[in-house]
Short mmCIF file of all heavy atoms in Angstrom, two decimals:
data_model
loop_
_atom_site.label_atom_id
_atom_site.label_comp_id
_atom_site.label_asym_id
_atom_site.label_seq_id
_atom_site.Cartn_x
_atom_site.Cartn_y
_atom_site.Cartn_z
N GLY T 1 17.55 -90.64 38.52
CA GLY T 1 17.07 -90.35 40.00
C GLY T 1 17.22 -91.40 40.85
O GLY T 1 16.99 -91.24 42.05
N PHE T 2 17.73 -92.61 40.36
CA PHE T 2 17.98 -93.74 41.36
C PHE T 2 19.03 -94.61 40.80
O PHE T 2 19.69 -94.31 39.80
CB PHE T 2 16.61 -94.51 41.57
CG PHE T 2 16.26 -95.31 40.42
CD1 PHE T 2 16.47 -96.74 40.45
CD2 PHE T 2 15.68 -94.82 39.32
CE1 PHE T 2 16.02 -97.57 39.34
CE2 PHE T 2 15.28 -95.61 38.13
CZ PHE T 2 15.41 -96.98 38.28
N ALA T 3 19.29 -95.75 41.44
CA ALA T 3 20.26 -96.80 40.92
C ALA T 3 21.71 -96.47 41.40
O ALA T 3 22.59 -97.31 40.91
CB ALA T 3 20.07 -97.05 39.48
N LEU T 4 22.10 -95.46 42.08
CA LEU T 4 23.44 -95.20 42.36
C LEU T 4 23.93 -96.18 43.31
O LEU T 4 24.98 -96.78 42.97
CB LEU T 4 23.54 -93.72 43.04
CG LEU T 4 24.85 -93.43 43.76
CD1 LEU T 4 25.94 -93.48 42.74
CD2 LEU T 4 24.72 -92.03 44.33
N SER T 5 23.32 -96.41 44.43
CA SER T 5 23.86 -97.44 45.36
C SER T 5 23.73 -98.89 44.78
O SER T 5 24.61 -99.66 44.98
CB SER T 5 22.93 -97.39 46.66
OG SER T 5 23.25 -96.15 47.48
N ALA T 6 22.60 -99.05 43.96
CA ALA T 6 22.50 -100.45 43.34
C ALA T 6 23.64 -100.72 42.48
O ALA T 6 24.17 -101.95 42.45
CB ALA T 6 21.19 -100.54 42.67
N LEU T 7 24.08 -99.80 41.64
CA LEU T 7 25.22 -100.00 40.75
C LEU T 7 26.43 -100.13 41.54
O LEU T 7 27.34 -101.02 41.19
CB LEU T 7 25.28 -98.77 39.82
CG LEU T 7 24.38 -98.72 38.63
CD1 LEU T 7 24.44 -97.38 37.91
CD2 LEU T 7 24.79 -99.87 37.57
N VAL T 8 26.74 -99.27 42.48
CA VAL T 8 27.84 -99.41 43.33
C VAL T 8 27.99 -100.76 44.09
O VAL T 8 29.02 -101.39 44.15
CB VAL T 8 28.05 -98.28 44.37
CG1 VAL T 8 29.28 -98.45 45.35
CG2 VAL T 8 28.20 -96.88 43.54
N MET T 9 26.77 -101.23 44.56
CA MET T 9 26.76 -102.52 45.24
C MET T 9 26.94 -103.65 44.36
O MET T 9 27.67 -104.69 44.60
CB MET T 9 25.43 -102.72 45.90
CG MET T 9 25.22 -101.74 47.17
SD MET T 9 26.28 -101.99 48.51
CE MET T 9 25.84 -103.63 49.05
N ALA T 10 26.33 -103.58 43.10
CA ALA T 10 26.57 -104.60 42.07
C ALA T 10 28.02 -104.73 41.52
O ALA T 10 28.50 -105.83 41.45
CB ALA T 10 25.54 -104.41 40.87
N ALA T 11 28.65 -103.69 41.42
CA ALA T 11 30.00 -103.70 40.77
C ALA T 11 31.13 -103.70 41.96
O ALA T 11 32.13 -104.28 41.80
CB ALA T 11 30.21 -102.55 39.87
N GLY T 12 30.82 -103.02 43.00
CA GLY T 12 31.88 -102.71 44.01
C GLY T 12 32.14 -103.85 44.93
O GLY T 12 33.19 -103.90 45.59
N THR T 13 31.26 -104.95 44.90
CA THR T 13 31.53 -106.04 45.81
C THR T 13 32.70 -106.88 45.28
O THR T 13 33.03 -107.79 46.07
CB THR T 13 30.28 -106.95 45.87
OG1 THR T 13 29.70 -107.24 44.53
CG2 THR T 13 29.11 -106.39 46.71
N ILE T 14 33.15 -106.63 44.18
CA ILE T 14 34.47 -107.28 43.71
C ILE T 14 35.65 -106.77 44.55
O ILE T 14 36.69 -107.40 44.48
CB ILE T 14 34.66 -107.27 42.22
CG1 ILE T 14 34.90 -105.72 41.81
CG2 ILE T 14 33.56 -107.87 41.44
CD1 ILE T 14 35.31 -105.65 40.36
N ILE T 15 35.47 -105.58 45.12
CA ILE T 15 36.53 -105.05 46.02
C ILE T 15 36.27 -105.02 47.45
O ILE T 15 37.16 -105.31 48.18
CB ILE T 15 36.73 -103.55 45.47
CG1 ILE T 15 37.07 -103.48 43.96
CG2 ILE T 15 37.75 -102.73 46.24
CD1 ILE T 15 37.06 -102.16 43.30
N LEU T 16 35.14 -104.60 47.76
CA LEU T 16 34.78 -104.58 49.23
C LEU T 16 33.44 -105.28 49.48
O LEU T 16 32.60 -105.45 48.58
CB LEU T 16 34.57 -103.11 49.58
CG LEU T 16 35.74 -102.21 49.68
CD1 LEU T 16 35.35 -100.65 49.87
CD2 LEU T 16 36.71 -102.49 50.66
N PRO T 17 33.27 -105.85 50.77
CA PRO T 17 32.07 -106.53 51.04
C PRO T 17 30.84 -105.58 51.23
O PRO T 17 31.07 -104.31 51.39
CB PRO T 17 32.35 -107.10 52.42
CG PRO T 17 33.41 -106.31 52.99
CD PRO T 17 34.23 -105.88 51.85
N PRO T 18 29.63 -105.97 51.08
CA PRO T 18 28.53 -105.13 51.13
C PRO T 18 28.51 -104.29 52.48
O PRO T 18 28.12 -103.14 52.41
CB PRO T 18 27.29 -106.07 51.07
CG PRO T 18 27.77 -107.23 50.38
CD PRO T 18 29.17 -107.40 50.61
N VAL T 19 28.93 -104.92 53.64
CA VAL T 19 28.80 -104.23 54.94
C VAL T 19 29.79 -103.02 54.83
O VAL T 19 29.62 -101.91 55.59
CB VAL T 19 29.08 -105.04 56.04
CG1 VAL T 19 30.50 -105.52 56.08
CG2 VAL T 19 28.61 -104.48 57.36
N ALA T 20 30.76 -102.99 54.03
CA ALA T 20 31.71 -101.82 54.00
C ALA T 20 31.28 -100.87 52.95
O ALA T 20 31.57 -99.76 52.95
CB ALA T 20 33.17 -102.38 53.57
N LEU T 21 30.53 -101.43 51.88
CA LEU T 21 29.99 -100.48 50.86
C LEU T 21 28.75 -99.72 51.23
O LEU T 21 28.67 -98.59 50.89
CB LEU T 21 29.66 -101.36 49.52
CG LEU T 21 30.86 -101.86 48.78
CD1 LEU T 21 30.32 -102.84 47.58
CD2 LEU T 21 31.60 -100.62 48.03
N ILE T 22 28.08 -100.23 52.13
CA ILE T 22 26.81 -99.56 52.59
C ILE T 22 27.09 -98.24 53.04
O ILE T 22 26.39 -97.27 52.71
CB ILE T 22 26.00 -100.49 53.58
CG1 ILE T 22 25.36 -101.69 52.75
CG2 ILE T 22 24.93 -99.63 54.28
CD1 ILE T 22 24.77 -102.74 53.81
N PRO T 23 27.93 -97.93 54.16
CA PRO T 23 28.24 -96.68 54.58
C PRO T 23 28.92 -95.69 53.61
O PRO T 23 28.62 -94.43 53.60
CB PRO T 23 29.16 -96.79 55.83
CG PRO T 23 29.79 -98.15 55.50
CD PRO T 23 28.77 -98.92 54.81
N ILE T 24 29.61 -96.20 52.63
CA ILE T 24 30.17 -95.44 51.55
C ILE T 24 29.02 -94.94 50.63
O ILE T 24 29.01 -93.78 50.22
CB ILE T 24 31.13 -96.31 50.63
CG1 ILE T 24 32.37 -96.56 51.61
CG2 ILE T 24 31.63 -95.51 49.45
CD1 ILE T 24 33.30 -97.55 50.85
N CYS T 25 28.12 -95.79 50.34
CA CYS T 25 26.92 -95.50 49.56
C CYS T 25 26.17 -94.32 50.18
O CYS T 25 25.53 -93.58 49.52
CB CYS T 25 26.06 -96.64 49.29
SG CYS T 25 26.69 -97.77 48.02
N TRP T 26 26.16 -94.36 51.50
CA TRP T 26 25.43 -93.18 52.26
C TRP T 26 25.86 -91.91 51.83
O TRP T 26 25.21 -90.98 51.45
CB TRP T 26 25.53 -93.29 53.77
CG TRP T 26 24.79 -92.33 54.49
CD1 TRP T 26 23.40 -92.45 54.82
CD2 TRP T 26 25.19 -91.03 54.85
NE1 TRP T 26 22.98 -91.11 55.47
CE2 TRP T 26 24.07 -90.39 55.42
CE3 TRP T 26 26.38 -90.36 54.78
CZ2 TRP T 26 24.18 -89.07 55.92
CZ3 TRP T 26 26.50 -89.04 55.24
CH2 TRP T 26 25.50 -88.50 55.86
N TRP T 27 27.32 -91.72 51.82
CA TRP T 27 27.82 -90.42 51.45
C TRP T 27 27.62 -90.12 50.02
O TRP T 27 27.39 -88.94 49.72
CB TRP T 27 29.48 -90.53 51.67
CG TRP T 27 29.85 -90.54 53.12
CD1 TRP T 27 30.10 -91.70 53.89
CD2 TRP T 27 29.87 -89.42 53.96
NE1 TRP T 27 30.39 -91.22 55.21
CE2 TRP T 27 30.17 -89.88 55.31
CE3 TRP T 27 29.68 -88.06 53.85
CZ2 TRP T 27 30.41 -89.11 56.46
CZ3 TRP T 27 29.85 -87.27 54.89
CH2 TRP T 27 30.24 -87.67 56.12
N LEU T 28 27.68 -91.16 49.14
CA LEU T 28 27.47 -90.93 47.74
C LEU T 28 25.96 -90.41 47.45
O LEU T 28 25.72 -89.49 46.78
CB LEU T 28 27.75 -92.15 46.90
CG LEU T 28 29.07 -92.77 47.17
CD1 LEU T 28 29.28 -93.94 46.22
CD2 LEU T 28 30.20 -91.84 46.94
N GLU T 29 24.97 -91.13 48.21
CA GLU T 29 23.68 -90.76 48.02
C GLU T 29 23.31 -89.39 48.50
O GLU T 29 22.61 -88.69 47.91
CB GLU T 29 22.77 -91.79 48.73
CG GLU T 29 22.63 -93.25 48.07
CD GLU T 29 21.86 -93.26 46.76
OE1 GLU T 29 21.35 -92.08 46.36
OE2 GLU T 29 21.74 -94.25 46.18
N MET T 30 23.89 -89.12 49.74
CA MET T 30 23.75 -87.75 50.26
C MET T 30 24.23 -86.60 49.36
O MET T 30 23.62 -85.65 49.17
CB MET T 30 24.29 -87.73 51.71
CG MET T 30 24.25 -86.33 52.26
SD MET T 30 22.46 -85.74 52.56
CE MET T 30 21.94 -86.83 53.88
N ALA T 31 25.40 -86.92 48.80
CA ALA T 31 26.02 -85.95 47.97
C ALA T 31 25.16 -85.67 46.66
O ALA T 31 24.90 -84.46 46.17
CB ALA T 31 27.42 -86.31 47.52
#
């Protein structure tokens, strides 16, 4: 029920900075 954005932020920062991941996580959380 949680941890989607946290996991994406923890692992995804090797590719994109947090400020670019945050709006992406919005779409993922909404879906």
Side-chain angles (χ1 to χ4, degrees):
F2 73 106
L4 170 59
S5 291
L7 278 168
V8 174
M9 292 296 295
T13 49
I14 63 175
I15 300 170
L16 293 170
V19 72
L21 285 172
I22 287 172
I24 292 174
C25 286
W26 183 89
W27 289 98
L28 307 185
E29 291 286 4
M30 179 56 75

